[in-house]
Amino acid sequence: MGGEWKTARLGDLVDSSLGKMLDAQKNKGTPRPYLGNSNVRWGSFDLQNLSLMRFENDEEERYGIRDGDLIVCEGGEPGRCAIWREQIPGMKIQKALHRVRAKDGLNNYYLFYWFMLAGRTGRLEPFFTGTTIKHLTGKALNELEVPVPPIEEQRAIAHILGTLDDKIELNRRRNQTLEAMARALFKDWFVDFGPVRARMQLPSPSGRGVGGEGAAPNPRIKLPLPPPLLDNARALRKHATDAETLLWRLLRNQQLAGAKFRRQHSLPPYILDFYCHALKLAVELDGGQHNSAEGQQRDARRSAYLEERGIRVLRFWNNDVLRETEAVLEAIYQAVQERQGVFPSPPAPLPGGEGSPMPFSLAENALDERACLPADLWQLFPDRLDDEGKPEGWSKRPLDEIADFLNGLALQKFPATDPDDRLPVIKIAELRNGVSAKSDRASREVPAKYIIKDGDFLFSWSGSLLAKFWTEGEGALNQHLFKVTSESYPMWFVSHWVHHHLEAFQAIAASKATTMGHIQRGHLKAAMTLCPPDDVLERLGVVMAPLVEQSIHNELESRTLAQLRNTLLPKLISGELRIADAEEFLERIA
């Protein structure tokens, strides 16, 4: 099958452009956000630390990118690439990147997967220039030889592989939601003592007001709006721009996929133009004032603040709403559909038919939603604080007393002599990025307690100080990492306390006058935890444990999907596997 495909020079199949040189002294024009090498991952973009560069009018199109463009790294890891599908107006690229736009006869998504395969198999390396730092120049990019199946087969290949990647991305978003839910609950229950304060009719440390009658089973907890913010929201409703008026007519009354949007929704310290609370989706409309460097930096801070709270932000220019209304609606509709597939099912009911699933809001900053607990869970919390300011009947214990922190080994003492009997070495890099072909290997003679399995909780005590449940298969625990276990407390509880103290630990490590900062066991002893009675913890685990378990399940499923994609990739790109066979196989695992 693959023998029937032609091979062509990439330069004859695409329109490509290298980005603009970053030079603050010479560059003039309007500040625009731009992508650099560090912003590009395989198949995705890291948009957390965008900067601005000036572009003149004649450079807007030359260095601009649009939906569907393939962005390819010129240096660093030459050939690393992703398809641009983000909704960020005016985005440009810096010289470290190529913008590749397929002409008729070539599909950009197919080309992305060809680059993925070529990068893994070393096919790109003969085209690199440079010695210490490798580069894929524009000339070399054009000289790449690419197999070109008929366009229908290209689309089918991209669809098959993209279906697997879409499922992986969906799991990633689901886990973001699960983690946000769990963090919000943990903070409210074990840090702010929200249910206790609500029963006492006291405001929480975060300022939330309390409604309800004393120990009523389903209290309403609302955050009072600052009067100036409330007045501003009301004024904006009365003096909406033409674009806002038009979009509101289209979004109101659940007209778009049943999503209920609110207009001028207050979320201190911000007011969102349109917000769907159920999907945690914000739609912002921008006018010309947002083009300034100050305006774009302010917008970036605003978006980062919202995204940290699990809220997805879509931005559109006012002119786009007025002139390209259908395209704007399609983008919002796509986001609504994606978010509707993100949220997990409610946790399982309480055992023995007691109570009901969680009917409470999980948004940390919900302003006019009820944050409620089933009556039987509500009664688990005491109705007073003791002299130390903690819930009555709860104990305070050091972190190293509720869990065991096993430090890893110097695994060079266990060299892997047998290639068929070895384990990947789990270091800080593996905890961050997962196991790769470049990961070190150790003998299986490592003592059993140092062998890591899926679901184990790991914590790096030096360097970047990361903490997560491991889902990369068996491995050997290297030094600078703790394997965290507990015989007395559930791991959902222990893991959240580690994460709660993580920021303080990171600050301690950063203060060390060494290349690689770290914490010591004394810091674990100084980190205090609040522990409810065992029966209370067990009942609360009915809500919390499924969130962690589902997150681990999603990670494991994504690993299986990635392995399947990696298996299919060379077979599909080479033509060894027929499209019909791959689609049939995909249907069986769907």
Side-chain angles (χ1 to χ4, degrees), residues 49-97:
N49 298 299
L50 292 177
S51 299
L52 300 177
M53 178 170 34
R54 293 185 177 274
F55 292 83
E56 299 187 72
N57 290 338
D58 61 348
E59 297 174 326
E60 289 285 339
E61 174 61 25
R62 179 181 175 188
Y63 300 119
I65 57 177
R66 60 188 187 219
D67 186 60
D69 283 348
L70 181 65
I71 310 302
V72 182
C73 290
E74 187 269 350
E77 184 185 349
R80 186 176 69 239
C81 59
I83 296 284
W84 180 252
R85 292 181 286 187
E86 305 295 333
Q87 299 289 329
I88 303 181
M91 183 63 71
K92 304 291 183 284
I93 54 171
Q94 190 243 353
K95 192 177 179 180
L97 301 174

Side-chain angles (χ1 to χ4, degrees), residues 557-571:
E557 182 181 68
S558 291
R559 189 182 84 192
T560 300
L561 292 170
Q563 290 171 342
L564 176 58
R565 179 204 59 209
N566 295 342
T567 300
L568 293 177
L569 179 60
K571 297 180 182 294

Side-chain angles (χ1 to χ4, degrees), residues 231-272:
D231 292 341
N232 191 21
R234 289 169 177 165
L236 285 171
R237 284 194 182 95
K238 294 178 181 178
H239 301 93
T241 65
D242 290 344
E244 289 174 339
T245 301
L246 172 60
L247 190 57
W248 179 237
R249 289 175 183 170
L250 298 167
L251 295 180
R252 65 186 304 179
N253 297 329
Q254 304 182 42
Q255 296 180 72
L256 191 70
K260 181 180 180 180
F261 280 88
R262 302 166 182 166
R263 185 173 54 152
Q264 299 304 327
H265 177 74
S266 301
L267 192 72
Y270 299 113
I271 296 174
L272 309 181

